[in-house]
């Protein structure tokens, strides 16, 4: 049985779906009361309530279930900003991560996967000549402009240290820009979700929360949620892996112009106008060679299929 923290969240739901399809059973852990959602009714899914900062509550799960692996997707950071005093927030973030490693050691699981983020590459651009794909071995700066990449870097370093000292098989997932069913309707980093939601509703997209990247020529490594979940699941069930860190992404740059074109192919009158041009800073995407070579992963969704799938899901009456 694979324990998934955050298993009922955005990426966790898609990861759970693929693990079930691969024949695995899943234990989903959340802080809210334990209820198996309708989408997993009748399947090999158990939901348990536990706070990851409570070591005894987490370890108790191992007495009730035979846990063979862990996929840690729940946030390991003081979030949302300002919700806790700085030291309290840091303590909660690190304690939950350390408890996951304590449990992994006690249960002797085969592999621990830990979610990281594309954000750890922030600041790398000055070290890379021109545009191109970022590989996992590029040196990362020891600074971060946001709590999420800051604590993800800490998590990667802790995982590397504990893998060696505890003899654990630890895998870091540097997750790209994920979008699709169950995701946020608005992203501050790329406009694709806003554009698709607006097209489904027949309204003007609200891009007021967008921090940048809102012109037609701007792009990012967009990865559809189902592809992301499948990549993480494949990393969990693969045999011996050759690396500790993997980029989980599409492995290509998707421009806003591509997204708009895909939307208008299905919704010709969609109000998806974006200004011409692009940000002058170099554009980057994530190199997925390691992921492809070690798991056989290939994205199943190009831009057109992703837009079509997302629109169909929204038009069926679904919302996040």
């Amino acid at each position: 049985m694979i324990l998934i923290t955050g298993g009922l969240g955005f990426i966790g739901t898609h990861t759970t779906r693929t693990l079930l399809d691969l024949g695995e059973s899943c234990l989903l852990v959340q802080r809210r009361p334990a209820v198996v959602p309708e989408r997993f009714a009748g399947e090999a899914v158990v939901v348990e309530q536990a706070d990851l900062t409570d070591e005894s509550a987490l370890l108790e799960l191992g007495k009730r279930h035979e846990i063979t692996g862990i996929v840690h997707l729940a946030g390991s950071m003081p979030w949302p900003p300002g919700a806790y005093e700085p030291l309290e927030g840091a303590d909660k973030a690190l304690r939950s991560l350390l408890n996951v490693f304590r449990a992994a050691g006690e249960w002797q699981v085969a592999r621990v996967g830990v979610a990281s983020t594309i954000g750890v590459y922030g600041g790398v651009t000055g070290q890379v000549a021109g545009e191109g794909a970022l590989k996992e071995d590029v040196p990362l700066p020891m600074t971060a402009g946001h709590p999420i990449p800051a604590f993800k870097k800490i998590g990667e370093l802790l995982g590397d240290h504990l893998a060696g000292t505890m003899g654990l098989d630890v895998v870091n997932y540097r997750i790209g820009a994920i979008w699709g069913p169950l995701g946020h309707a608005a992203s501050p980093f790329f406009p694709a979700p806003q554009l698709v939601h607006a097209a489904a509703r027949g309204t003007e997209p609200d891009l007021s929360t967008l921090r940048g990247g809102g012109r037609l020529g701007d792009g990012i490594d967009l990865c559809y949620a189902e592809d992301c979940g499948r990549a993480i699941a494949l990393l969990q069930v693969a045999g011996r892996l050759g690396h500790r860190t993997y980029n989980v992404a599409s492995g290509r740059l998707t421009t806003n112009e591509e997204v708009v074109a895909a939307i208008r192919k299905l919704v010709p009158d969609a109000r998806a106008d974006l200004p011409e041009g692009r940000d002058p800073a170099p554009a980057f995407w994530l190199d997925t060679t390691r992921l492809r070579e070690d798991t056989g992963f290939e994205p199943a969704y190009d831009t057109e299929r992703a837009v079509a799938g997302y629109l169909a899901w929204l038009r069926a009456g679904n919302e996040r």
Side-chain angles (χ1 to χ4, degrees):
M1 175 174 277
I2 308 298
L3 183 149
I4 308 173
T5 71
L8 292 173
F10 173 33
I11 293 174
T13 296
H14 294 284
T15 302
T16 300
R17 176 71 271 155
T18 303
L19 284 169
L20 292 171
D21 291 344
L22 291 171
E24 300 288 341
S25 58
C26 297
L27 170 61
L28 313 183
V29 180
Q30 64 172 15
R31 284 178 293 183
R32 298 186 300 277
V35 178
V36 176
E38 185 177 343
R39 65 174 64 92
F40 294 137
E43 302 203 59
V45 171
V46 177
V47 180
E48 292 267 18
Q49 183 178 16
D51 188 331
L52 296 182
T53 64
D54 185 339
E55 179 185 347
S56 61
L58 181 59
L59 293 178
E60 188 68 24
L61 298 178
K63 298 178 182 179
R64 299 197 293 271
H65 307 282
E66 186 177 351
I67 299 167
T68 59
I70 298 176
V71 176
H72 182 40
L73 300 176
S76 296
M77 69 215 58
W79 190 260
Y84 303 101
E85 292 296 323
L87 286 177
E88 180 190 6
D91 176 74
K92 285 180 176 291
L94 296 178
R95 197 182 335 151
S96 64
L97 181 60
L98 289 171
N99 283 344
V100 166
F101 283 118
R102 286 190 181 96
E106 180 161 316
W107 301 333
Q108 297 184 329
V109 302
R111 177 167 294 147
V112 185
V114 181
S116 186
T117 173
I118 188 176
V120 300
Y121 291 110
V124 165
T125 54
Q127 303 173 32
V128 181
E131 299 189 343
L134 289 167
K135 297 184 178 182
E136 293 91 340
D137 56 3
V138 65
L140 302 180
M142 290 295 291
T143 57
H146 192 277
I148 292 178
F151 277 82
K152 293 303 186 183
K153 287 183 181 182
I154 292 169
E156 287 193 20
L157 288 169
L158 270 176
D160 184 70
H161 167 68
L162 294 175
T165 56
M166 296 177 66
L168 295 173
D169 182 1
V170 177
V171 179
N172 299 307
Y173 319 129
R174 289 183 181 167
I175 300 173
I178 311 304
W179 71 309
L182 301 175
H184 289 288
S187 168
F189 306 112
F190 53 95
Q194 291 94 309
L195 295 173
V196 173
H197 274 258
R201 294 191 302 262
T203 61
E204 189 82 24
D206 180 5
L207 303 178
S208 61
T209 61
L210 201 62
R211 298 178 185 176
R215 289 183 280 185
L216 280 174
D218 292 330
I220 196 169
D221 192 326
L222 278 183
C223 181
Y224 199 57
E226 290 185 25
D227 278 335
C228 176
R230 186 161 52 86
I232 291 172
L234 289 174
L235 284 168
Q236 178 62 32
V237 302
R240 186 179 181 279
L241 294 172
H243 306 277
R244 183 159 293 148
T245 301
Y246 290 82
N247 288 330
V248 173
S250 68
R252 65 180 290 268
L253 187 76
T254 299
T255 66
N256 295 332
E257 189 170 13
E258 288 179 65
V259 175
V260 169
I263 291 172
R264 286 192 168 142
K265 189 172 182 178
L266 296 168
V267 188
D269 59 349
R271 286 176 270 181
D273 295 316
L274 294 176
E276 298 282 347
R278 54 160 288 185
D279 191 299
F284 293 92
W285 55 98
L286 300 185
D287 184 287
T288 55
T289 301
R290 287 183 179 182
L291 177 65
R292 289 186 286 105
E293 290 182 347
D294 287 6
T295 70
F297 171 82
E298 291 291 343
Y301 288 82
D302 59 14
T303 307
E304 287 191 7
R305 187 182 180 198
V307 167
Y310 202 179
L311 276 171
W313 185 80
L314 290 168
R315 285 171 167 173
N318 297 297
E319 288 288 345
R320 182 177 182 272

